[in-house]
Amino acid sequence: MAYSLGDILLDATTLQKRIGELAAEIDAAYPDTPQPLVLLTILKGSIFFSTDLSRALRNNVEFEFIAVRSYGGGTTSSGSVELVKDVSMQLRDRDVLMVEDIIDTGNTTSYLYDHIARHEPRSLRLATLLNKPDRRERDVRIDFCGFTIPNEFVVGFGLDMAGVYRNLPDIRLVQDDGVPTEQGANAIASS
Ligand code: PRP
């Protein structure tokens, strides 16, 4: 099928305002940490959320990164989670905040809770910019949530489709144009 960019779901101003509110919530939740909070950025989708969130926080943070993949080239989760790049810093006894762009089926988050818990952090919480509860397959605890969205495929502000559109400043819907094609990612057209 061919796809094109649809309407803006969340514009850049709305995103930044909510990120500021989330930062205040997060600061309040970590009033007294012995060491800086570790922002565990889940690559690649949460890059912009994580960096914007970090600059809105008053608490000191350290960055760590982990890369996982649950989607192939399409618009639905494959169900299995592949660890692409593991953490390298010591997380034992640290306050770790996992930063996600979106929770969809919950499979990625469920995997990451188990994976990071093995490092025995002092605390482990989750912030997500978007929550899409309609497609949930696993219950996952979300400590800080930006927006609950309907069951629509969205791109922009870190979220991709077949690798592109991450750099859009707004979060936009993807429209299925209903045209069969064998060109895969090349069939995506911008409007
Ligand atoms: C997306 C997103 C989450 C995950 C959520 O990542 O960033 O990590 O899917 O889906 P789930 O709740 O159904 O597991 P993706 O695997 O597409 O990798 P990316 O962040 O590199 O785009």
Side-chain angles (χ1 to χ4, degrees):
M1 293 295 178
Y3 300 92
S4 58
L5 288 176
D7 292 340
I8 291 175
L9 183 65
L10 297 162
D11 65 31
T13 304
T14 304
L15 291 170
Q16 293 306 322
K17 180 171 180 289
R18 184 68 186 125
I19 289 170
E21 293 168 355
L22 283 177
E25 279 182 45
I26 292 166
D27 276 331
Y30 295 94
D32 186 23
T33 53
Q35 296 182 78
L37 178 64
V38 177
L39 284 189
L40 180 57
T41 304
I42 318 297
L43 298 172
K44 299 174 184 171
S46 68
I47 48 175
F48 299 114
F49 176 43
S50 187
T51 53
D52 285 353
L53 181 67
S54 73
R55 286 177 291 187
L57 288 168
R58 300 178 76 100
N59 281 343
N60 288 329
V61 299
E62 281 186 56
F63 280 100
E64 176 57 315
F65 301 91
I66 190 168
V68 288
R69 185 161 46 212
S70 67
Y71 284 76
T75 59
T76 55
S77 172
S78 64
S80 62
V81 179
E82 178 190 354
L83 182 62
V84 178
K85 177 211 167 296
D86 205 350
V87 294
S88 55
M89 73 180 278
Q90 290 284 338
L91 298 178
R92 189 181 173 88
D93 295 331
R94 298 297 301 267
D95 291 291
V96 177
L97 179 63
M98 299 190 288
V99 182
E100 264 292 20
D101 53 338
I102 187 166
I103 313 293
D104 191 350
T105 64
N107 288 323
T108 303
T109 305
S110 177
Y111 170 88
L112 287 169
Y113 265 123
D114 289 346
H115 184 70
I116 300 302
R118 287 193 210 110
H119 291 260
E120 300 183 349
R122 179 172 181 263
S123 68
L124 180 58
R125 296 190 206 180
L126 170 71
T128 186
L129 181 63
L130 306 178
N131 179 26
K132 196 194 281 187
D134 290 352
R135 287 180 23 94
R136 195 72 89 251
E137 293 175 6
R138 289 169 193 264
D139 273 340
V140 288
R141 193 189 75 243
I142 300 174
D143 300 286
F144 309 98
C145 177
F147 302 92
T148 297
I149 64 166
N151 186 15
E152 301 278 355
F153 196 82
V154 290
V155 295
F157 202 70
L159 293 130
D160 75 308
M161 180 165 181
V164 296
Y165 293 148
R166 290 193 201 275
N167 58 319
L168 296 175
D170 310 301
I171 291 181
R172 296 180 65 153
L173 300 169
V174 171
Q175 185 173 297
D176 180 347
D177 295 331
V179 182
T181 177
E182 294 177 357
Q183 295 170 15
N186 294 330
I188 299 168
S190 58
S191 60

